[in-house]
Amino acid sequence: RAKQDGRGTASFFDDRMDRQARDRRSLEHDLRHAVCRDELQLVYQPLVSTAAGEVVGYEALLRWDHPERGQVPPAIFIPVAEEAGTIMAIGEWALRRACRDASEWAEPLTLAVNVSPVQLRVSTLPMVVRSALADSGLAPGRLELEITETALLRDRDVSLAILREIRALGVRIAMDDFGTGYSSLSNLRHFPFDKIKIDKSFVSAMHEDEAARSIVRAIAGLGKGLNVPVVAEGVENEVQRSMVQAEGCALAQGYLFGRPEAIPARRIQTVVRMRRA
Ligand code: C2E
Ligand code: MG
Ligand code: MG
Ligand code: MG
């Protein structure tokens, strides 16, 4: 009997894994066409000064409107695209589109674009960045590329050389989701960063978790010592806003200030009126 149950369980898992694998393959297949079928879109979320709520820039975030599945979140399709290699085309599309959009904004605000670790391993990235800037006419000083620490795990020397080349163009580099990756402190010493973004998991927990708050304080201190601005990600309410401000984060991003939206150029405002809790 026990044996039978065991077999039943095994085949249940086999079925499920089959289904997951098929599902992944179909996503992978559909992603190959997503760019040319115009299914991808960029939305923009404001980065604001913590003290005044003044918008200093926007982060471009990918959205995929799948014809049958509807909205597929980037947390699902980016990993698939990275594994299949489609991230190269998708990433280049996003960069070019974002630069073009930002070049039409009424104010010369900063544009942040996420770059996958996979893109950072290919030596053509600096050329793609330069071409996106030239084609859009966007000033290099307005562009900031966001990379995660995992981007630096493999081929450190290659990644470092590519980052340096990009920075030589006048483009800045931000370290995204800081605190969740590996060997963070050593990365800060060896890589040329212009900004640190504290992962939202720390920010969302800090009002009820002393450890999370200490970590936010420590990262803000690091930023101060290294002379780079620190952004608190995922600020959803006034309590969190005043806490990250008190801990020394000059910049913040989160639903309190604005959700990611497809913002037409003329609707961009320099000041977001802050909601009080
Ligand atoms: P990320 O770069 O850390 O982006 C911030 C994520 O936090 C976004 O999720 C954003 O919508 C979400 N967020 C912002 N404020 C709040 C808040 O107050 N509360 C909560 N709960 N969430 C907030 P999204 O748009 O789903 O993107 C998820 C991740 O997908 C991004 O994390 C980024 O790693 C990746 N991604 C998005 N667009 C691109 C892209 O163009 N290229 C690459 N390589 N990755 C991208
Ligand atoms: Mg980001
Ligand atoms: Mg982040
Ligand atoms: Mg993230």
Side-chain angles (χ1 to χ4, degrees), residues 59-61 112-115 145-148 174-177 197 233 253:
E59 176 177 4
L61 294 158
V113 179
N114 292 283
V115 169
L145 300 185
E146 296 193 357
I147 65 162
T148 56
M175 184 175 271
D176 206 352
D177 303 347
K197 299 185 80 172
E233 295 194 280
Q253 192 175 351

Side-chain angles (χ1 to χ4, degrees), residues 215-235:
I215 291 167
V216 171
R217 183 179 309 145
I219 299 175
L222 266 175
K224 202 172 173 195
L226 295 167
N227 203 22
V228 295
V230 173
V231 185
E233 295 194 280
V235 173

Side-chain angles (χ1 to χ4, degrees), residues 35-267:
V35 172
C36 40
R37 289 183 188 158
D38 209 24
E39 291 166 7
L40 295 179
Q41 196 204 346
L42 285 176
V43 288
Y44 294 92
Q45 186 181 32
L47 269 96
V48 307
S49 70
T50 326
E54 190 185 358
V55 176
V56 297
Y58 284 86
E59 176 177 4
L61 294 158
L62 267 171
R63 294 291 177 264
W64 181 19
D65 191 15
H66 187 283
E68 286 112 38
R69 297 170 195 251
Q71 285 289 329
V72 183
I76 300 289
F77 73 81
I78 298 279
V80 174
E82 285 174 336
E83 207 169 296
T86 20
I87 192 66
M88 297 306 294
I90 291 173
E92 180 168 344
W93 176 85
L95 180 67
R96 288 182 177 281
R97 168 58 61 88
C99 286
R100 212 165 58 213
D101 284 353
S103 74
E104 288 165 7
W105 292 347
E107 317 251 353
L109 301 173
T110 296
L111 165 71
V113 179
N114 292 283
V115 169
S116 158
V118 177
Q119 292 174 274
L120 202 67
R121 265 179 242 132
V122 182
S123 59
T124 46
L125 184 63
M127 219 175 61
V128 172
V129 171
R130 188 166 25 176
S131 157
L133 288 168
D135 290 352
S136 63
L138 190 78
R142 288 180 58 193
L143 181 61
E144 196 163 83
L145 300 185
E146 296 193 357
I147 65 162
T148 56
E149 292 170 272
T150 41
L152 310 173
L153 278 183
R154 259 209 269 170
D155 305 325
R156 285 179 72 97
D157 296 343
V158 176
S159 308
L160 183 56
I162 293 172
L163 283 182
R164 286 208 174 116
E165 234 184 292
I166 291 172
R167 268 180 109 234
L169 299 171
V171 172
R172 279 162 309 169
I173 308 290
M175 184 175 271
D176 206 352
D177 303 347
F178 187 76
T180 57
Y182 299 95
S183 63
S184 352
L185 299 181
S186 136
N187 285 337
L188 282 182
R189 227 182 104 213
H190 295 295
F191 287 87
F193 289 106
D194 304 283
K195 188 178 274 177
I196 300 172
K197 299 185 80 172
I198 305 179
D199 191 69
K200 60 176 172 289
S201 57
F202 303 112
V203 176
S204 61
M206 70 187 289
H207 65 286
E208 53 182 16
D209 179 352
E210 192 51 47
R213 188 166 183 166
S214 301
I215 291 167
V216 171
R217 183 179 309 145
I219 299 175
L222 266 175
K224 202 172 173 195
L226 295 167
N227 203 22
V228 295
V230 173
V231 185
E233 295 194 280
V235 173
E236 294 185 349
N237 53 55
E238 172 57 25
V239 173
Q240 290 166 347
R241 188 207 63 80
S242 64
M243 276 192 179
V244 298
Q245 183 187 9
E247 299 302 354
C249 302
L251 299 170
Q253 192 175 351
Y255 296 163
L256 175 68
F257 309 105
R259 293 192 177 245
E261 278 180 294
I263 316 163
R266 65 182 174 288
R267 268 193 48 213

